[in-house]
């Protein structure tokens, strides 16, 4: 529901206290920035790698506080952020060619804006860390206790990151109504703000259905975004989330844009059970997204700017509908640690069908460890979901999951280590003019978003790769050094 006005505002707070998503329309938290934060303005106030920061040092490329630019490669305009730490070559869930890649060469917000304006065949999305809560690592017991107190207090503000230029710092501290946000967090028994990220996208960019294990406030600053919210109780009733150890952990395996028949064959429960809540976020509105709720987004305007504010749980209790998803993550971690990621599906299925005695040799040390694991599974599930729920829960948890994901690697892929690798050819799409003058083809590829190496002529050409007044017959490249 949406909350604006006195009665509606009280209703919005009531919905939030019930740990349900709600849109607050009259917060005014970024009223002063809805017309100010254009792409052009932000490109002048957000620093990138190699640019000077407040203390006079240079921002290092590859730092966690860099501008992160994602590019959708498959023509679907869809962004699925891959966890590179889990995408290990040769692993059970290895994704050879991700549909979304990070553009490491694009290190400034200005370069992102250039790509967003010029590229026609590909879409880009920028994610910028603006604020981050200070870590408590290395502190003594008293320091940790103080850090815990600060985490639990909504009035504790995170620190600005070095990537923020002076105008952006003034905007964040002077034009964002933090008092409203602190008041809201306090009334809802939340803790402090963990971090703040800036998200910038373009028209028709899709951000695939994903859940997070933290509560979030999405503050729409510029442009409109269509959002679809799905209850966590649907996780094993039709959304089929990727396994914990998968590079796409947190995302739904279902392709929301695919044909109904295709989804019906792969994900039969999706069409039968999955229903959600949809709304369009307008500039200035704030969406509360509870932890473990699935969020599917589509940017609707040429310039879309939003703040993603993650907050600590504080004194709030967990959502009842999220418990199965939390338990499944815990069990996947445990069984993979005891056995392997590859065998997680097998052993959870064995427990689900009550076949432990057929698969476990209790006379061995390994068998003893497996029996202890089975006991822990029953304890965890029955304590949280009730007696007799283990078989049904585990069957739903493993159905269509914890297995290889071959549909992510359907593209023609050449394995350089295999002698049986079959070569393939690409169609020559150049025009006669582009064949005659390759520079035209190079410019075309650049306009479509491809990274084209600079051409270097080995023939001395006055005014191009040598001084205009030099004699090409006697000129040597070493003379220009």
């Amino acid at each position: 529901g949406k909350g604006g006005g006195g009665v509606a505002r009280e209703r919005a707070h009531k919905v939030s206290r019930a740990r349900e998503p709600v849109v607050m329309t009259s917060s005014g938290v970024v009223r002063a920035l809805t017309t100010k934060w254009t792409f052009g303005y932000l490109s002048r106030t957000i620093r990138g790698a190699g640019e000077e920061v407040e203390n006079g040092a240079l921002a290092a490329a590859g730092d966690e506080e860099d501008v992160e630019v994602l590019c959708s490669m498959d023509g679907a305009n869809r962004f699925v952020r891959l966890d590179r730490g889990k995408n290990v070559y040769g692993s059970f869930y290895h994704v050879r060619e991700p549909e979304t890649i990070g553009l490491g060469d694009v290190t400034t917000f200005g370069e992102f804006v250039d790509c967003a304006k010029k590229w026609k065949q590909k879409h880009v999305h920028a994610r910028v860390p603006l604020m981050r809560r200070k870590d408590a690592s290395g502190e003594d017991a008293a320091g940790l206790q103080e850090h815990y107190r600060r985490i639990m207090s909504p009035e504790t503000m995170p620190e600005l990151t070095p990537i923020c230029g002076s105008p952006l710092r003034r905007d964040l501290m002077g034009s964002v109504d933090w008092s409203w946000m602190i008041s809201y967090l306090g009334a809802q028994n939340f803790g402090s703000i963990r971090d703040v990220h800036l998200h910038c996208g373009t028209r028709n960019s899709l951000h695939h259905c994903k859940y997070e294990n933290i509560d979030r406030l999405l503050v729409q600053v510029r442009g409109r975004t269509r959002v679809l919210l799905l209850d966590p109780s649907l996780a094993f009733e039709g959304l089929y989330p990727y396994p914990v150890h998968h590079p796409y952990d947190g995302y739904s395996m279902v392709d929301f844009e695919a044909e109904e028949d295709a989804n019906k064959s792969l994900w039969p429960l999706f069409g039968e059970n999955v229903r959600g809540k949809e709304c369009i976020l307008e500039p200035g509105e704030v969406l509360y997204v509870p932890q473990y709720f699935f969020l599917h987004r589509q940017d609707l305007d040429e310039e879309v700017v939003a703040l993603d504010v993650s907050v600590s749980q504080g004194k709030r209790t967990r959502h009842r509908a999220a418990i199965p998803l939390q338990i499944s993550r815990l069990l996947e971690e445990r069984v993979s640690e005891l056995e392997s990621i590859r065998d997680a599906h097998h052993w959870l299925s064995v427990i689900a069908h009550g076949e432990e005695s057929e698969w476990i040799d209790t006379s061995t040390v390994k068998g003893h460890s497996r029996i202890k694991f089975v006991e822990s599974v029953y304890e965890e599930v029955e304590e949280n979901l009730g007696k007799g729920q283990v078989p049904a829960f585990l069957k739903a948890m493993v159905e269509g999951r914890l297995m290889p994901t071959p549909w992510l690697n359907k593209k023609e892929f050449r394995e350089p280590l295999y002698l049986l690798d079959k070569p393939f050819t690409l169609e020559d799409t150049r025009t006669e003019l582009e064949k005659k003058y390759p520079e035209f083809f190079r410019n075309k590829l650049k306009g479509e978003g491809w990274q084209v190496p600079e051409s270097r002529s080995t023939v001395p050409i006055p005014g191009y790769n040598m001084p205009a007044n030099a004699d090409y017959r006697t000129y040597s490249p070493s003379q220009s050094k």
Side-chain angles (χ1 to χ4, degrees):
K2 290 200 172 189
V7 176
R9 185 158 47 246
E10 179 56 36
R11 181 171 174 268
H13 277 271
K14 184 177 180 180
V15 173
S16 293
R17 282 192 289 272
R19 298 174 297 283
E20 294 288 337
V22 65
V23 178
M24 289 159 279
T25 59
S26 58
S27 68
V29 67
V30 289
R31 183 179 293 114
L33 302 176
T34 54
T35 57
K36 184 177 184 180
W37 274 14
T38 63
F39 279 8
Y41 174 81
L42 291 172
S43 66
R44 297 189 298 271
T45 59
I46 296 176
R47 300 187 180 93
E51 296 186 25
E52 191 171 335
V53 297
E54 289 294 323
N55 59 8
L58 295 179
D63 190 273
E64 65 176 3
E65 294 175 349
D66 279 349
V67 175
E68 180 186 21
V69 179
L70 303 176
C71 178
S72 177
M73 299 295 293
D74 63 351
N77 305 335
R78 185 171 69 170
F79 294 91
V80 185
R81 193 164 178 256
L82 179 135
D83 186 338
R84 288 179 292 179
K86 296 179 179 180
N87 197 36
V88 180
Y89 181 81
S91 63
F92 191 56
Y93 295 125
H94 178 57
V95 180
R96 293 194 299 252
E97 297 181 13
E99 65 175 272
T100 302
I101 64 170
L103 299 181
D105 295 337
V106 180
T107 57
T108 68
F109 195 85
E111 291 172 342
F112 156 74
V113 174
D114 288 341
C115 295
K117 290 182 178 179
K118 295 178 181 178
W119 292 2
K120 304 301 180 184
Q121 303 299 321
K122 300 177 183 178
H123 275 54
V124 288
H125 176 82
R127 183 174 180 268
V128 187
L130 300 181
M131 305 177 77
R132 183 170 286 115
R133 190 172 64 198
K134 186 179 179 181
D135 192 5
S137 59
E139 296 186 7
D140 56 16
L144 291 174
Q145 187 175 3
E146 173 63 18
H147 181 71
Y148 175 76
R149 186 193 64 79
R150 288 171 56 82
I151 288 176
M152 296 297 289
S153 172
E155 297 182 1
T156 301
M157 290 292 294
E159 298 179 353
L160 291 165
T161 62
I163 206 169
C164 301
S166 296
L168 190 57
R169 288 169 175 261
R170 288 194 294 269
D171 290 344
L172 286 170
M173 303 316 297
S175 299
V176 177
D177 189 355
W178 296 109
S179 61
W180 176 90
M181 194 166 293
I182 291 171
S183 174
Y184 171 80
L185 297 179
Q188 296 292 326
N189 287 327
F190 281 113
S192 62
I193 297 173
R194 295 174 51 154
D195 52 49
V196 179
H197 283 84
L198 182 73
H199 289 273
C200 298
T202 55
R203 188 189 302 275
N204 289 330
S205 294
L206 289 168
H207 303 271
H208 188 55
C209 182
K210 185 184 183 184
Y211 71 86
E212 303 278 359
N213 63 355
I214 53 175
D215 293 283
R216 300 153 62 201
L217 294 172
L218 293 183
V219 184
Q220 195 76 4
V221 181
R222 183 175 179 83
R224 298 166 302 144
T225 298
R226 178 183 286 112
V227 297
L228 173 65
L229 286 149
L230 299 157
D231 196 277
S233 63
L234 298 171
F236 306 123
E237 295 181 7
L239 288 177
Y240 301 92
Y242 281 101
V244 169
H245 296 93
H246 198 284
Y248 290 147
D249 176 26
Y251 286 98
S252 168
M253 290 192 279
V254 182
D255 185 351
F256 282 36
E257 284 67 53
E259 296 291 335
E260 183 177 349
D261 290 341
N263 276 335
K264 192 172 183 179
S265 61
L266 284 172
W267 324 113
L269 297 178
F270 175 70
E272 297 176 12
N273 300 333
V274 175
R275 301 292 184 273
K277 300 174 182 178
E278 184 185 55
C279 72
I280 294 179
L281 283 180
E282 302 284 348
E285 295 183 343
V286 180
L287 169 65
Y288 165 53
V289 184
Q291 58 179 188
Y292 293 102
F293 265 76
F294 288 80
L295 178 67
H296 189 75
R297 296 185 290 134
Q298 179 185 18
D299 295 331
L300 300 179
D301 292 314
E302 291 299 329
E303 293 188 6
V304 176
V305 179
L307 291 174
D308 187 348
V309 182
S310 63
V311 298
S312 302
Q313 185 173 345
K315 300 177 183 178
R316 290 169 68 90
T317 57
R318 60 183 179 178
H319 196 295
R320 179 71 184 174
I323 294 177
L325 196 52
Q326 292 174 307
I327 296 175
S328 75
R329 295 186 64 86
L330 178 65
L331 297 185
E332 286 178 42
E333 292 278 6
R334 286 182 182 176
V335 71
S336 299
E337 183 178 349
L338 177 65
E339 302 293 340
S340 68
I341 295 174
R342 187 181 300 272
D343 293 330
H345 182 277
H346 167 72
W347 284 107
L348 289 173
S349 296
V350 165
I351 301 172
H353 292 89
E355 299 173 350
E356 300 94 323
S357 60
E358 301 175 23
W359 287 91
I360 299 177
D361 182 359
T362 56
S363 64
T364 64
V365 174
K366 187 69 173 179
H368 177 73
S369 298
R370 286 170 174 167
I371 286 295
K372 297 298 290 183
F373 171 69
V374 172
E375 292 174 354
S376 71
V377 170
Y378 272 84
E379 285 180 13
E380 194 71 42
V381 175
E382 292 186 344
E383 182 179 339
N384 289 278
L385 301 180
K387 295 287 185 180
Q389 295 297 314
V390 173
F393 170 71
L394 291 184
K395 288 176 183 178
M397 174 183 161
V398 302
E399 183 181 356
R401 302 180 64 248
L402 304 178
M403 295 184 290
T405 51
W407 62 88
L408 298 176
N409 295 319
K410 281 186 176 180
K411 297 179 182 178
E412 290 283 354
F413 181 78
R414 301 193 66 200
E415 174 52 75
L417 300 180
Y418 291 167
L419 296 177
L420 297 178
D421 178 28
K422 297 180 180 180
F424 64 95
T425 58
L426 295 175
E427 182 183 356
D428 187 353
T429 59
R430 294 176 298 168
T431 64
E432 291 301 320
L433 184 64
E434 290 169 345
K435 291 179 181 179
K436 188 174 182 180
Y437 302 103
E439 196 64 28
F440 285 109
F441 186 60
R442 290 169 51 80
N443 291 335
K444 175 184 175 181
L445 291 177
K446 288 181 180 179
E448 292 177 352
W450 295 96
Q451 295 184 8
V452 183
E454 292 297 327
S455 61
R456 297 184 182 276
S457 175
T458 58
V459 178
I461 304 174
Y464 178 68
N465 57 3
M466 62 175 288
N469 58 353
D471 187 342
Y472 72 92
R473 293 169 296 184
T474 59
Y475 175 78
S476 172
S478 61
Q479 294 178 252
S480 61
K481 294 182 180 178

